[in-house]
Amino acid sequence: MKKCISQNELKSVYVEDGTAKKIFAADYNKSDVLYEALNTARVEDAGVDIPKLLAVSVENGQWSITSEYIDGITLTELISKHPEKAAVYIRKMAEYQVEFQKKTNPLLLKLKDKLVRQINDLKELDSSIKYELLTRLNTMPKHTKLCHGDYCPDNIIVHTDDDANITDITAVDWVHATQGNASADIANTYLMLKLQYGDSFEGIDGSIADLYMSDFCEITGTNQTYVTGWLPIVAAARMTKNKAGEKELLEHWVNIVDFQ
Ligand SMILES: Nc1ncnc2c1ncn2[C@@H]1O[C@H](COP(=O)(O)OP(=O)(O)OP(=O)(O)O)[C@@H](O)[C@H]1O
Ligand SMILES: [Mg+2]
């Protein structure tokens, strides 16, 4: 039987016979659907264990992408069920990201090129700030690590044991995946965690976002200032999504470029 597990005005995900079928709205751009499918296949080719892409099809003018269904719940759901274990879950989230960042695929779009395009496209940003951001971006080390681009608890699917400990973890929604600097992807997730959970979380000393960043830095031996240096750049790039609820926080992070 077909069951809807996620829905918004642009796409819905249905589960049927062990597959997850993402059906796009009739007016959804065809090349965006094909790009999502190709990009996901390239992540699969990079050797990451993600739900396998099975089919791309069109029915009554609506495009769809079918992949293996992964049984489990999202990390967002798990954190709301067991907030007392949030710190352990965030650690797992960071560890999994560090694991897939070891992979790469030269055919993926380069993160730096994407960021340059996004910053140049921003109409609401002062040209001097754009210039500063692009100059900073130019000085950042160029890597080719697999970056998810939208790595947040809603896009992480987990399986747990009877004690609510994570036994399996995987990520979906690889449409924004690129090859680039791992710390940029961490900075992007940091912003998403700030937007989702704010500045404090019960039982955690500080915010979920800060905990996540320090976990990453500890696991990889990265200096935290190296990650925070990316914040103004990724915040500006994220402004291109034009999400009303994000504007204030993103502007705050973009403007930090002024005094660093
Ligand atoms: N292969 C899968 N197996 C299990 N669940 C899935 C699978 N694909 C998607 N889902 C579920 O459906 C939800 C929505 O899917 P997905 O994240 O791909 O699209 P979306 O969030 O609507 O896209 P976007 O973030 O681009 O708007 C996921 O958060 C996850 O809960
Ligand atoms: Mg998603």
Side-chain angles (χ1 to χ4, degrees):
M1 210 186 69
K2 201 163 126 176
K3 182 179 153 212
C4 181
I5 53 165
S6 156
Q7 190 162 34
N8 64 33
E9 64 282 8
L10 296 174
K11 49 207 131 162
S12 312
V13 179
Y14 294 90
V15 179
E16 191 175 26
D17 300 331
T19 68
K21 190 172 186 177
K22 190 165 173 177
I23 303 179
F24 296 84
D27 58 353
Y28 205 90
N29 185 284
K30 176 171 50 185
S31 26
D32 287 346
V33 176
L34 297 173
Y35 179 83
E36 175 163 344
L38 179 61
N39 221 34
T40 309
R42 284 183 168 157
V43 173
E44 223 179 289
D45 287 346
V48 191
D49 191 15
I50 56 169
K52 285 202 175 25
L53 188 82
L54 300 172
V56 179
S57 49
V58 60
E59 222 174 292
N60 303 325
Q62 279 187 280
W63 285 85
S64 64
I65 298 176
T66 306
S67 52
E68 286 174 351
Y69 172 67
I70 300 297
D71 193 23
I73 58 171
T74 66
L75 187 60
T76 300
E77 291 171 281
L78 184 63
I79 291 174
S80 65
K81 271 189 182 170
H82 291 282
E84 76 285 359
K85 285 181 180 268
V88 183
Y89 298 154
I90 293 298
R91 179 79 181 193
K92 278 267 183 205
M93 173 182 174
E95 281 170 357
Y96 181 64
Q97 192 171 15
V98 170
E99 273 315 300
F100 71 66
Q101 283 175 341
K102 291 178 185 155
K103 316 272 182 182
T104 193
N105 182 341
L107 295 177
L108 286 165
L109 199 74
K110 291 198 167 65
L111 175 59
K112 191 193 159 203
D113 294 345
K114 188 173 175 179
L115 291 168
V116 168
R117 185 164 33 83
Q118 287 173 314
I119 292 169
N120 276 323
D121 281 354
L122 268 176
K123 303 221 174 3
E124 58 271 50
L125 216 62
D126 196 87
S127 58
S128 64
I129 296 190
K130 270 191 198 180
Y131 178 78
E132 276 183 72
L133 290 169
L134 292 171
T135 307
R136 175 184 295 213
L137 178 55
N138 235 341
T139 65
M140 295 302 212
K142 288 155 202 66
H143 296 158
T144 57
K145 294 189 170 134
L146 175 63
C147 298
H148 184 287
D150 197 12
Y151 190 66
C152 61
D154 279 337
N155 285 332
I156 298 170
I157 302 189
V158 293
H159 211 91
T160 54
D161 62 17
D162 294 342
D163 298 321
N165 292 317
I166 295 176
T167 50
D168 277 307
I169 181 164
T170 191
V172 293
D173 215 355
W174 290 88
V175 58
H176 303 294
T178 53
Q179 47 168 328
N181 191 304
S183 293
D185 207 28
I186 300 299
N188 187 51
T189 296
Y190 175 86
L191 287 181
M192 284 190 281
L193 289 173
K194 274 268 177 195
L195 289 161
Q196 186 170 354
Y197 294 105
D199 292 330
S200 64
F201 193 88
E202 210 186 319
I204 286 180
D205 188 19
S207 68
I208 286 217
D210 285 303
L211 178 68
Y212 158 81
M213 195 192 289
S214 59
D215 274 342
F216 169 79
C217 290
E218 195 190 302
I219 299 165
T220 57
T222 304
N223 191 317
Q224 202 141 316
T225 55
Y226 185 60
V227 182
T228 53
W230 281 99
L231 283 171
I233 297 169
V234 295
R238 203 175 162 84
M239 283 170 100
T240 53
K241 289 184 193 282
N242 263 322
K243 290 195 183 170
E246 300 190 350
K247 200 167 180 282
E248 205 181 322
L249 184 88
L250 294 181
E251 276 173 2
H252 164 78
W253 286 109
V254 168
N255 288 319
I256 282 185
V257 76
D258 283 346
F259 51 86
Q260 262 186 350

